[in-house]
């Protein structure tokens, strides 16, 4: 789960300074016009669904043309993934100075053991969970998530929105990722750590999409 939060926004998870400038590899693409810290997020290149140019970021403003990590993680050894994170294939992909050995290890463990195929749980056309069990999602939400978010999802307000509105405003694959691993640099619990299945997380996503 920690690796998943690093994948989201590693400096927030580490309590480190926000990176400055563009990542060195950003200049190798010219379709995604974001700049600065956003270019340093693993998710910005490889997608919330871990499929990069083959997934939700296959088009639109987030498209970069960079590959995903889902396939590579299933066919590449842990040691080789660590080496890639340290620049073995391209020196510009060396995260040793920013992440350190321990966090590179957490990130690689997430890639090896924590990735899921989101198309099994999310309908990309409707941006909603597939056959979500709203009763189960409600039960899980109210026994865990509501302790902080409130039963109506409005107890924590982000950019003027409660969790219900956020879940409808942001990509479903992003919210599913955050439910599964937590929010970087916060005490938000991880569904994975709590023993929830990916279907459980998708059920909760379906339920919070009904909140005001």
């Amino acid at each position: 789960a920690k690796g998943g939060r690093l994948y989201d926004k590693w400096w927030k998870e580490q309590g480190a300074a926000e990176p400055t400038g563009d990542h060195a590899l950003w200049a190798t693409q010219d379709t995604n016009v974001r700049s600065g810290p956003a270019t340093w997020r693993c998710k910005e290149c490889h997608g919330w669904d871990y499929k990069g140019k083959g997934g939700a970021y296959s088009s639109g403003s987030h498209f970069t043309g960079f590959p995903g990590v889902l396939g590579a993680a299933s066919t590449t050894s842990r040691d080789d993934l660590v080496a890639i994170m340290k620049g073995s294939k391209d020196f510009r992909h060396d995260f040793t100075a920013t992440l350190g050995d321990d966090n590179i290890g957490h990130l690689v463990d997430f890639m090896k053991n924590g990735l899921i195929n989101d198309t099994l749980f999310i309908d990309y056309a409707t941006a909603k969970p597939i056959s979500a069990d709203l009763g189960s999602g409600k039960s899980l939400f109210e026994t865990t998530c509501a302790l902080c978010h409130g039963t109506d999802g409005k107890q924590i307000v982000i950019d003027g929105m409660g969790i219900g509105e956020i879940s409808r405003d942001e990509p479903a694959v992003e919210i599913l990722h955050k439910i599964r691993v937590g929010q970087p640099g916060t005490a938000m619990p991880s569904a994975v750590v709590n023993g929830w299945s990916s279907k459980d997380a998708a059920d909760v996503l379906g339920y919070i999409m009904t909140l005001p």
Side-chain angles (χ1 to χ4, degrees), residues 151-169:
T151 55
D152 63 357
K154 292 184 174 182
Q155 194 161 297
I156 295 177
V157 177
I158 302 171
D159 295 333
M161 297 183 287
I163 194 66
E165 191 173 0
I166 289 171
S167 70
R168 295 185 294 273
D169 185 65

Side-chain angles (χ1 to χ4, degrees), residues 21 72 87 91-93 95 98 105 115 123 131 161 178 204:
F91 73 93
R92 294 169 295 184
H93 198 266
F95 279 83
T98 51
L115 303 185
D123 181 337
S131 303
M161 297 183 287
K178 290 178 184 287
V204 169

Side-chain angles (χ1 to χ4, degrees), residues 71-78 80-81 84 112:
S74 65
T75 58
T76 307
S77 72
R78 185 184 188 280
D80 285 345
L81 286 173
I84 291 169
K112 287 298 293 181

